[in-house]
């Protein structure tokens, strides 16, 4: 039983054939623009830019908030390297803060305590597709004049108080990596809630040139006008992505059915204190990106992973907290206690969850998990 398999919906080959037939494969062609429009309408946001990855979208966001040497940006320690890399690549310092014990999302109180005269931005991560406490985060940011960036890598289709993740701050970054709910192999998007950022974002995406204005006929030649890089997705991957974006509700609905089956099957483990289940606040809708259990200690977590693998079920753990990673120690610093991060990183296990899991697949995972708790 794999941990994840990418969803295939059936229209992908035809879309790629169309793209090849049209003979235009480089970035920001009609397929990327269509993907962008679908996201702009869905979220809604002022502008979406289709990128080669969420990592690239986060790098663009760090450029757009003018992070530089001497600046700090606050980020949860419990996240993927990309969130902090974007900050470090600008020569700024990622400041690691703790997460909430319930949602595993960044703690607004820890963010508020970590603010210094050098702080410029707050990067939040909607862990497992469950949006962060954005009203509190945005309030804190407004009080200190900080930019908020949502790392919504895992959160397409999720919402907070009826508003979509990725449209809850000035910028959002999505991932379409093969392990996400909707995929294009590698791929991502930068979403801009703030229309004032659009013009510069187009330039940063196109290697620092005003090529987008040239393509629209607004200037008669294009030239190098700012820093930037090649943050474009190939049209072949964008053609693949269109059908995936259109099917996000179907895919998320299917994943939610598995997520709920897991939760209902393991409620007694929580009641008996054997494992903690995910917490989803009332005012939040999530996209079932991850189903996790928090076990009692690290030794039990290791035994669990080994037992699952021994029976052919790929369960996994993550993240090595960034504050204790080699690069985190070199480029960043910690602010306050990171006790929740350390505890969660040592006890979390994630169960197989992908589009199209059958009752039999789910049943197998549930049986193996229950067998572990019977014999352990
Ligand atoms: C929270 C978070 N941020 C960023 C990324 C990076 O995404 P990508 O692989 O699209 O660059 C991931 C991918 O796993 C992620 O989970």
């Amino acid at each position: 039983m794999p941990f994840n398999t990418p969803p295939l919906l059936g229209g992908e080959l035809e879309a790629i054939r169309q793209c090849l037939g049209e003979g235009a494969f480089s970035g920001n062609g009609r397929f990327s623009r269509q993907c962008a429009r679908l996201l702009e309408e869905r979220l809604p946001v002022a502008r979406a830019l289709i990128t080669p990855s969420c990592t690239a979208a986060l790098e663009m966001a760090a450029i757009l908030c003018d992070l530089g040497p001497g600046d700090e940006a606050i980020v949860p320690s419990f996240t993927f390297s990309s969130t902090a890399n974007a900050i470090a690549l600008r020569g700024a310092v990622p400041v690691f803060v703790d997460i909430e014990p319930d949602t595993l999302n960044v703690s607004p109180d820890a963010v508020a305590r970590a603010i210094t005269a050098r702080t410029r931005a707050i990067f939040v991560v909607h862990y497992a597709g469950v949006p962060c406490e954005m009203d509190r985060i945005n309030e804190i940011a407004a009080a200190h004049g900080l930019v908020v960036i949502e790392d919504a890598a895992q959160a397409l289709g999720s919402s907070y108080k009826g508003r979509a993740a990725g449209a809850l701050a000035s910028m959002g970054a999505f991932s379409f990596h093969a392990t996400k709910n909707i995929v294009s192999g590698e791929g991502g998007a930068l979403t801009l809630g703030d229309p004032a950022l659009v013009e510069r974002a187009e330039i940063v995406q196109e290697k620092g040139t005003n090529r987008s204005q040239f393509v629209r006929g607004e200037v008669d030649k294009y030239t190098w006008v700012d820093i930037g890089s090649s943050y474009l997705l190939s049209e072949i991957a964008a053609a693949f992505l269109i059908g995936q974006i259109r099917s996000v509700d179907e895919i998320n609905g299917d994943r939610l059915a598995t997520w709920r089956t897991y939760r209902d099957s393991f409620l007694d483990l929580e009641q008996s204190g054997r494992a903690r289940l995910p917490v989803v606040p009332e005012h939040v809708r999530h996209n079932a990106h991850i189903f996790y259990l928090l076990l009692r200690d690290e030794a039990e977590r290791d035994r669990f992973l080994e037992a699952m693998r021994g029976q052919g079920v790929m369960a996994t753990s993550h993240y090595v907290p960034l504050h204790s990673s080699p690069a985190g120690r070199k480029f960043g610093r910690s602010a306050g206690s990171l006790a929740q991060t350390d505890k969660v990183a040592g006890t979390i296990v994630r169960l197989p969850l992908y589009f199209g899991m059958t009752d039999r697949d789910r049943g197998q995972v549930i049986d193996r998990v229950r067998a572990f708790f019977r014999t352990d």
Side-chain angles (χ1 to χ4, degrees), residues 286-357:
H286 74 109
N287 65 356
H289 179 59
I290 293 175
F291 187 89
Y292 63 82
L293 298 171
L294 294 171
L295 305 188
R296 288 180 300 190
D297 56 40
E298 210 162 322
E300 186 178 53
R301 192 270 311 271
D302 294 344
R303 279 201 308 281
F304 180 93
L305 292 177
E306 205 179 298
M308 291 302 117
R309 279 188 201 134
Q311 308 214 34
V313 172
M314 277 305 296
T316 62
S317 186
H318 72 175
Y319 299 99
V320 173
L322 295 185
H323 72 273
S324 50
S325 68
R329 277 197 269 221
K330 186 167 171 192
F331 299 114
R333 72 170 177 83
S334 300
S337 162
L338 287 143
Q340 293 301 335
T341 299
D342 287 329
K343 186 164 168 222
V344 168
T347 56
I348 195 166
V349 294
R350 298 179 297 156
L351 302 184
L353 178 51
Y354 47 86
F355 175 70
M357 274 185 97

Side-chain angles (χ1 to χ4, degrees), residues 39-40 42 53 59 80 82 84 99 141 154 182 215 217 245 256 273 286 296 308 340 347:
L39 291 175
E40 285 159 9
R42 180 188 175 93
S53 61
E59 287 178 25
F80 196 63
S82 303
I99 49 172
Q154 306 176 2
I182 74 157
V215 170
I245 297 180
L256 275 161
H286 74 109
R296 288 180 300 190
M308 291 302 117
Q340 293 301 335
T347 56

Side-chain angles (χ1 to χ4, degrees), residues 82-275:
S82 303
T83 330
N85 244 327
I87 302 162
L89 277 166
R90 307 299 334 132
V93 176
V95 175
F96 302 118
V97 297
D98 212 356
I99 49 172
E100 297 287 359
D102 53 0
T103 57
L104 318 189
N105 276 332
V106 71
S107 154
D109 288 339
V111 169
R113 284 193 296 268
I115 293 171
T116 70
R118 294 172 177 266
T119 311
R120 297 282 169 269
I122 305 168
F123 285 67
V124 301
V125 177
H126 302 312
Y127 179 70
V130 175
C132 298
E133 264 321 310
M134 290 307 291
D135 282 352
R136 287 266 347 263
I137 298 281
N138 283 330
E139 258 170 49
I140 295 166
H144 294 87
L146 309 177
V147 185
V148 178
I149 296 105
E150 300 173 69
D151 180 338
Q154 306 176 2
L156 186 62
S158 301
S159 62
Y160 172 85
K161 298 186 178 175
R163 289 162 55 217
L168 300 166
S170 39
M171 290 180 254
F174 288 99
S175 174
F176 308 125
H177 181 266
T179 53
K180 298 300 184 290
N181 289 24
I182 74 157
V183 308
S184 53
E186 302 280 352
L190 176 69
T191 53
L192 303 172
D194 179 357
L197 293 169
V198 172
E199 186 178 334
R200 186 160 181 233
E202 288 180 348
I203 289 168
V204 170
Q205 186 191 32
E206 289 271 11
K207 302 106 176 166
T209 74
N210 55 351
R211 180 175 175 276
S212 296
Q213 292 170 355
F214 171 74
V215 170
R216 286 195 296 266
E218 294 164 12
V219 290
D220 59 3
K221 55 182 177 302
Y222 70 91
T223 182
W224 185 28
V225 293
D226 200 341
I227 60 164
S229 190
S230 179
Y231 291 125
L232 300 152
L233 185 69
S234 154
E235 282 286 279
I236 300 170
F240 185 104
L241 185 59
I242 289 174
Q244 296 265 327
I245 297 180
R246 286 204 173 111
S247 306
V248 63
D249 293 322
E250 182 196 345
I251 292 172
N252 288 352
D254 179 273
R255 295 179 70 107
L256 275 161
T258 299
W259 192 98
R260 291 186 181 122
T261 306
Y262 282 157
R263 184 204 47 201
D264 294 349
S265 308
F266 300 136
L267 280 175
D268 63 318
L269 294 175
E270 179 151 83
Q271 278 148 11
S272 63
R274 295 298 313 267

